């Protein structure tokens, strides 16, 4: 039996508080950047990804063949959202049996540990999202564990082209298999863009096979110029979809920075991160600084591009921890030196799953 | 179980009470469990509703509630519980700038004062040490510093600016504009009519509301439902300002106007009949529990873990200091008088702080320690050489004593020492 409340004030509790709508329950979405608002790497620019490349924060491409689609943050969005992730097919590619083209987010084990998956207490979750595509038909995706030996393919239907459609899918908890509850990958969520028969299964059932999508789903990479937008992705511990959980921008950015940080790219040609000092010729100066926030694990630090330098070489990362990083610079000649980052020369730190 | 009322009509069972409209159900256990009267369904004082494992509650707007889970993620106001006071702690502060609330007029994290006349109010976290509203530990206190004769054009508004990034889903300025509810707790030594407003950053759209404080020195809850504005210009600027939430503390006669809880293209600084706190020496007005949320009614205040709320505030302002001998990150001397110190902010700031948005409490509050010298070299000047949204490089000057090329670090000389970065709206 379900309870329906149609009154204007909804429910009034003993403390006088009212609950007129369910749109208030928060911090329940296990997806980070579900509204596609954070794009630290590409700042809205289109990318033709390599396998595993990130398209917007936390969302990566899974592909077995390159140059079949491009992706970028888009300002096309349904009411209540400002951004989506746009995928555009670059050719009319006929997928082979073992091909995989998908969007993917890996959910950290810490963030799904309470689901109890892999135990008899496994909880159901509800996946909800908005999609918009130039194609119609049955589309597919899946949730899998990190070993990809437990999979639950799901399907959804886009009945009208170029129209935002809200999708909600209930996924029963998996009572078997191994599901990491550490800082490793807990859940892999994939949205198929074209998946061959080897990796496509029957919707709505847990299986011990690697499945990224459902059998006979639409292959959007099969139609040149086809478009697919997605936003408002939410995965929550519930038997029904609740309204998308809104988060303050700074909170969402910080959540993303657990997995990826960029230091020194101020989106301008100058006035980024700067260091100045003085030393002898051929001496190395070493700096150790804190990261913006603690990352998932010790990240891979990189110096991207070319910094503006005077009397020194390019800065080079020498080590990282989950909270700090060190870099060194070689002094050219005795005297003062300066190095300044910019929008083409900066540091990145990657601790993605 | 005996069936006393049964139906075999195939169309179900309808219970129709008399004209009183009252219908009661009782199981005989603890009195009446359920009453339906005047279209209000009331549960008995000991009656609970338990949802089955697959039950959902569907609201009038079609949204569903399947589980209570945690209530959160809905308040667009930052520091609504007045917990975070990076700048002044629990010290009193009297803002001195007139006009727009630039940095000197921030009175508590994320709250600023607009004023046409300075030095009429002091602001302090937990001023007066009254018992906060139930469920809160902090409030922002405003105290009138004199019995000021308010001139016609005078105006004082406490306000918080909301960043566009935090309200895009409101869709204000479009046909999809969403209704919001502003709620807060207020306490004043004065009774009478007060007002506040919600306006856009582009000017030309405002929603004025009033509330009446009926009992002095008593916490009172105020809730204002604001329909979404379907017109006006609510320009999208990703990290810019979108909305002002204002509480009027005083307004002269020509700064007052109609506050009739409708959107208007022209709104006065305060409502007609606004109680002028500045007119009474020592008068107080306290505020806490501010919440600005989607929906047609106020929900319980959204609790945030302190560190989360601090991080929310640090997007707009960040400071280091306050602890004796506190050190800044190690830098390097570039000459006998100059050293550079890199700073990494604890969160990504809203914008890169400009030179004018960097300051120190006083240069004499800090000194440099040169690794090879070991002596304390008091700062004589400090500037921000460069900065972006995540880092800054400080240029420190001392009279002498640094050794070029040596590592050097800065230490606080006292607990007043601060290094401050602002990215306020």
């Amino acid at each position: 039996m379900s309870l329906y409340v149609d009154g204007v004030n909804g429910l009034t509790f003993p403390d006088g508080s009212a609950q007129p709508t369910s749109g208030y329950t928060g911090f329940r979405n296990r997806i980070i950047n579900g509204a596609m608002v954070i794009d630290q790497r590409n700042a809205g620019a289109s990318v033709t990804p390599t396998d595993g490349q990130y398209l917007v924060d936390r969302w990566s491409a899974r592909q077995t063949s390159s140059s079949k689609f491009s992706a970028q943050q888009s300002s096309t969005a349904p009411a209540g959202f400002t951004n989506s992730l746009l995928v555009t097919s670059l050719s009319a590619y006929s997928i082979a049996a073992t091909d995989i083209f998908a969007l993917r987010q890996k959910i950290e084990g810490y963030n799904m540990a309470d689901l109890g998956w892999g135990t008899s207490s496994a909880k159901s979750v509800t996946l909800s999202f908005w999609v918009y595509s130039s194609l119609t038909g049955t589309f597919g995706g899946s949730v899998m564990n990190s070993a990809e030996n437990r999979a639950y393919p799901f399907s959804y239907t886009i009945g009208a082209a170029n129209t935002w459609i809200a999708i909600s899918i209930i996924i029963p908890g998996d009572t078997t298999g191994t599901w990491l509850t550490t800082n490793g990958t807990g859940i892999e969520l994939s949205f198929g863009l074209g998946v061959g028969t080897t990796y496509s299964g029957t919707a709505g059932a847990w299986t011990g096979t690697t499945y990224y999508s459902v059998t006979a789903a639409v292959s959007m990479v099969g139609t040149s110029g086809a478009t697919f937008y997605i936003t408002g992705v939410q995965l929550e511990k519930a038997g029904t979809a609740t309204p998308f959980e809104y988060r303050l921008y700074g909170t969402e950015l910080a959540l993303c920075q657990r997995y990826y940080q960029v230091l020194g790219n101020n989106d301008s040609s100058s006035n980024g991160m700067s260091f100045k000092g003085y030393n002898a010729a051929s001496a190395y100066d070493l700096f150790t600084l804190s990261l913006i926030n603690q990352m998932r694990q010790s990240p891979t630090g990189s110096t991207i591009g070319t910094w503006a330098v005077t009397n020194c070489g390019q800065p080079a990362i020498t080590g990282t921890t989950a909270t700090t990083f060190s870099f060194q610079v070689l002094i050219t000649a005795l005297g003062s030196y300066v190095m300044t980052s910019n929008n083409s020369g900066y540091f990145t730190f990657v601790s993605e799953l | 179980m005996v069936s006393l009322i049964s139906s075999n009509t195939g169309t179900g069972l309808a219970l129709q009470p008399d004209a009183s409209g009252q219908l009661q159900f009782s199981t005989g256990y603890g009195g009446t469990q359920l009453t339906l009267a005047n279209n209000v369904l009331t549960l008995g004082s000991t009656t609970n509703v338990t949802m089955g494992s697959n039950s959902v509650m569907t609201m009038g707007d079609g949204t569903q509630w399947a589980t209570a889970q945690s209530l959160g993620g809905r308040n667009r106001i930052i520091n609504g519980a007045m917990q975070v006071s990076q700048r002044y702690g629990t010290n009193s502060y009297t803002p001195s700038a007139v006009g727009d609330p630039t940095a000197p007029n921030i009175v508590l994290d994320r709250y600023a004062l607009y004023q046409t006349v300075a030095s009429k109010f002091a602001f302090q976290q937990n001023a007066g040490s009254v018992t906060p509203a139930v469920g809160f530990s902090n409030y922002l206190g405003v105290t009138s510093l004199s019995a000021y004769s308010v001139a016609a054009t005078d105006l004082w508004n406490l306000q918080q600016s909301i960043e566009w990034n935090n309200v895009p889903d409101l869709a204000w300025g479009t046909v999809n504009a969403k209704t919001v509810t502003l709620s807060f707790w207020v306490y004043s030594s004065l009774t009478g009519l007060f007002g506040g407003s919600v306006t856009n950053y582009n000017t030309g759209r405002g929603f004025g509301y009033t509330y009446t404080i009926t009992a002095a020195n008593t916490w009172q809850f105020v809730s204002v439902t604001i329909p979404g504005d379907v017109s006006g210009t609510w320009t999208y600027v990703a990290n810019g300002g979108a909305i002002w939430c204002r509480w009027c503390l005083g307004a002269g006669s020509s700064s007052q106007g109609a506050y009739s809880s409708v959107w208007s293209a022209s709104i006065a600084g305060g409502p007609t009949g606004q109680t002028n706190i500045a007119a009474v020496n020592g008068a107080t007005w306290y505020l806490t529990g501010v919440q600005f949320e989607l929906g047609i009614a106020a929900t319980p205040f959204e609790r945030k873990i302190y560190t989360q709320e601090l991080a929310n505030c640090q997007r707009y302002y960040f400071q280091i200091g306050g602890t004796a001998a506190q050190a800044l990150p190690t830098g390097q001397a570039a000459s006998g008088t100059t050293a550079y110190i890199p700073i990494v902010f604890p969160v990504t700031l809203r914008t890169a702080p400009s030179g004018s948005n960097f300051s120190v409490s006083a240069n004499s509050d800090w000194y440099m320690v040169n690794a090879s010298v070991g002596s304390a070299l008091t700062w004589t000047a400090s500037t921000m050489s460069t900065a972006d949204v995540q880092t800054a490089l400080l240029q420190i000057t001392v009279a002498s004593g640094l050794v070029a090329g040596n590592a050097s670090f800065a230490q606080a000389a006292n607990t007043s020492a601060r290094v401050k970065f602002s990215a306020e709206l």
Side-chain angles (χ1 to χ4, degrees), chain B residues 120-146:
Chain B
K120 301 307 171 197
F121 293 107
F123 293 79
Q124 185 177 12
Q125 187 187 46
N126 291 2
S129 300
V130 303
T131 301
V134 174
F136 295 90
S137 57
N138 298 103
Y139 57 89
L140 173 59
V142 181
T143 304
S144 171
L145 296 177
S146 63

Side-chain angles (χ1 to χ4, degrees), chain B residues 56-68:
Chain B
V56 297
M57 191 175 293
T58 303
M59 301 298 178
D61 61 0
T63 57
Q64 292 186 315
W65 202 18
T67 171

Side-chain angles (χ1 to χ4, degrees), chain A residues 272-277 287 338-340, chain B residues 331 339-343 345 358 383-388 391-395 421:
Chain A
M273 189 180 195
S274 188
F275 298 90
K276 298 180 181 180
F287 296 82
V338 180
M339 49 184 165
T340 303
Chain B
Y340 292 95
I341 298 173
I343 303 286
F345 304 134
F358 161 77
T383 60
M384 190 171 63
S385 178
T386 60
D388 64 7
T391 65
L393 183 68
L394 307 187
Q395 179 178 328
F421 304 90

Side-chain angles (χ1 to χ4, degrees), chain B residues 44-371:
Chain B
S45 59
T46 59
T47 305
N48 297 307
V49 173
T50 301
M51 305 291 286
S53 59
N54 293 311
S55 298
V56 297
M57 191 175 293
T58 303
M59 301 298 178
D61 61 0
T63 57
Q64 292 186 315
W65 202 18
T67 171
Q69 299 190 69
S70 61
L71 290 170
R74 58 213 139 87
N75 193 2
R76 314 309 169 91
I77 290 288
I78 293 174
N79 203 21
M82 314 296 178
Q83 293 173 282
V84 182
S85 180
Q86 294 186 84
R87 294 166 177 82
Y88 313 113
T90 55
N91 296 322
S92 178
Y93 177 67
T94 300
S96 58
V98 168
D100 289 331
T102 51
N105 278 20
I106 302 290
V107 295
L108 191 78
D109 277 71
R110 301 301 298 120
Y111 294 90
L113 177 69
Y114 173 90
Q115 59 185 359
T116 56
V117 182
S119 303
K120 301 307 171 197
F121 293 107
F123 293 79
Q124 185 177 12
Q125 187 187 46
N126 291 2
S129 300
V130 303
T131 301
V134 174
F136 295 90
S137 57
N138 298 103
Y139 57 89
L140 173 59
V142 181
T143 304
S144 171
L145 296 177
S146 63
Y148 176 69
S149 296
V150 177
T153 58
D154 285 345
L155 179 63
W156 298 269
N157 266 323
L158 177 69
Q159 52 195 24
Q160 178 166 143
S161 52
I162 301 178
E163 183 179 342
W164 181 271
N165 276 325
N166 292 334
V167 288
D169 55 327
L170 301 189
W172 285 10
T174 78
V175 295
N176 296 315
K178 300 288 194 304
T179 297
V180 300
T181 296
L182 172 69
S183 59
F184 53 89
W185 286 89
V186 66
Y187 174 113
S188 178
S189 63
L190 305 177
T191 59
L193 183 128
F194 293 78
S197 62
V198 173
T199 68
N200 63 347
Y201 247 62
N202 304 85
T203 72
R205 298 301 295 171
F207 181 97
Y209 63 88
T210 61
Y211 60 96
T212 302
I213 295 180
T214 55
N217 300 324
T218 304
W219 284 106
Q220 179 175 327
F221 184 70
V222 177
S223 173
V224 182
T225 297
I226 303 170
D229 186 17
V230 296
S231 58
T233 302
W234 299 80
T235 302
Y236 177 87
V237 180
N239 59 352
I243 295 172
W244 291 110
C245 280
R246 294 189 167 108
W247 295 264
C248 189
L249 304 177
S253 58
S254 62
S255 294
Q256 296 181 0
Y259 270 29
S260 48
S261 293
V262 294
W263 283 102
S264 169
S266 175
I267 186 168
T272 301
Q274 164 75 36
T275 300
N276 279 313
I277 305 169
V280 180
N281 187 27
T284 56
W285 182 89
Y286 302 155
L287 179 70
T288 195
V290 183
Q291 183 149 287
F292 184 91
E293 60 187 313
L294 270 176
I296 59 174
T299 65
F301 185 78
E302 177 192 344
R303 302 284 159 194
K304 289 179 185 154
I305 294 170
Y306 178 82
T307 51
Q308 181 192 353
E309 195 71 315
L310 175 61
N312 290 336
C313 293
Q314 286 175 326
R315 177 172 170 80
Y316 305 89
Y317 177 83
F318 166 61
Q319 67 178 23
I320 306 172
T323 304
Q326 183 161 351
L328 298 182
T330 302
Q332 191 182 50
S335 70
T337 59
T338 302
Y340 292 95
I341 298 173
I343 303 286
V344 177
F345 304 134
V347 301
T348 299
L349 301 189
R350 184 185 64 84
T351 61
S354 64
S356 62
N357 288 325
F358 161 77
S359 63
V360 298
S361 50
N363 286 316
S364 57
D365 287 339
W366 293 92
Y367 59 85
M368 300 299 302
V369 176
N370 186 292

Side-chain angles (χ1 to χ4, degrees), chain A residues 50 57 63 70 75 100-101 126 154 160 181 218 225 261 301 347 353:
Chain A
T50 57
D57 276 67
Q63 60 184 24
S70 64
S75 59
I100 301 168
F101 298 95
T126 297
F154 60 82
T181 55
V218 171
Q261 294 183 15
F347 291 138
L353 288 159

Side-chain angles (χ1 to χ4, degrees), chain A residues 1 22 26 249 257 262 278 285, chain B residues 55 64 70 166 332 348 390 405:
Chain A
M1 176 185 175
S22 66
Y249 181 85
Q257 287 172 329
V262 55
Y278 180 100
D285 269 0
Chain B
S55 298
Q64 292 186 315
S70 61
N166 292 334
Q332 191 182 50
T348 299
Q390 289 140 348

